[in-house]
Amino acid sequence: MSSLPAWSVWALLSAVFAALTAVLAKVGVAGISADYATLVRTVVILAVLALLVPLSGQWVDPRSLPARSLLFLALSGLATGASWLCYYRALQLGEVAQVAPVDKLSVVLAALFAVAFLGERPSLREWLGLGLVGAGVVVLVWRR
């Protein structure tokens, strides 16, 4: 058996932490506004990264970064914030077992956006997997 590619290990860890995020957020958002809960989450993330980046020797002067990188990272940050606000609002209104799977429609959308804007070309096997994820979301939200 071949070893897993490095990216897949990080992706699997991301999935584990995303699952924990959903469950912990559902408990944490009880009794407070979804927007305020998102603010608390963001402050915690900022504090952790403010420690991690300098301690790991990764700090660089932001003025030395390419303007294009800063623009797209800022746009990504805005998209992340909007996603988090919507996610926490959805968690207040629904169950984790409902919200988290629908949120994973982002997997399908990310692949479609990558095809449209980045010129990526998923294989037939990858399209099949994406189709199954999309079908799973439809099954979970379908109401009689």
Side-chain angles (χ1 to χ4, degrees), residues 26 29-35 37 87-94 99:
K26 178 66 177 178
V29 79
I32 64 173
S33 80
D35 295 344
Y87 189 74
Y88 272 57
R89 187 74 44 89
L91 282 175
Q92 277 191 324
L93 301 172
V99 173

Side-chain angles (χ1 to χ4, degrees), residues 87-119:
Y87 189 74
Y88 272 57
R89 187 74 44 89
L91 282 175
Q92 277 191 324
L93 301 172
E95 299 295 322
V96 172
Q98 297 168 317
V99 173
V102 174
D103 178 64
K104 296 312 168 218
L105 186 59
S106 64
V107 171
V108 177
L109 295 174
L112 292 173
F113 293 162
V115 167
F117 301 116
L118 302 176

Side-chain angles (χ1 to χ4, degrees), residues 52-123:
L52 177 69
V53 170
L55 289 175
S56 64
Q58 297 177 67
W59 178 259
V60 296
D61 185 343
R63 295 172 295 182
S64 70
L65 298 175
R68 185 173 197 265
S69 293
L70 289 173
L71 170 66
F72 279 91
L73 289 173
L75 291 171
S76 175
L78 290 171
T80 297
S83 173
W84 289 357
L85 289 169
C86 294
Y87 189 74
Y88 272 57
R89 187 74 44 89
L91 282 175
Q92 277 191 324
L93 301 172
E95 299 295 322
V96 172
Q98 297 168 317
V99 173
V102 174
D103 178 64
K104 296 312 168 218
L105 186 59
S106 64
V107 171
V108 177
L109 295 174
L112 292 173
F113 293 162
V115 167
F117 301 116
L118 302 176
E120 293 186 9
R121 296 291 173 240
S123 68

Side-chain angles (χ1 to χ4, degrees), residues 101 104-105 107-108 127-141:
K104 296 312 168 218
L105 186 59
V107 171
V108 177
W127 280 119
L128 176 62
L130 291 164
L132 290 170
V133 170
V137 170
V138 170
V139 166
L140 289 168
V141 299

Side-chain angles (χ1 to χ4, degrees), residues 2-71:
S2 65
S3 63
L4 294 173
W7 66 263
S8 67
V9 173
W10 288 106
L12 289 169
L13 286 170
S14 174
V16 169
F17 288 118
L20 285 172
T21 297
V23 172
L24 297 170
K26 178 66 177 178
V27 176
V29 79
I32 64 173
S33 80
D35 295 344
Y36 194 80
T38 305
L39 174 64
V40 170
R41 174 188 184 183
T42 304
V43 168
V44 170
I45 292 167
L46 180 63
V48 169
L49 288 173
L51 290 171
L52 177 69
V53 170
L55 289 175
S56 64
Q58 297 177 67
W59 178 259
V60 296
D61 185 343
R63 295 172 295 182
S64 70
L65 298 175
R68 185 173 197 265
S69 293
L70 289 173
L71 170 66

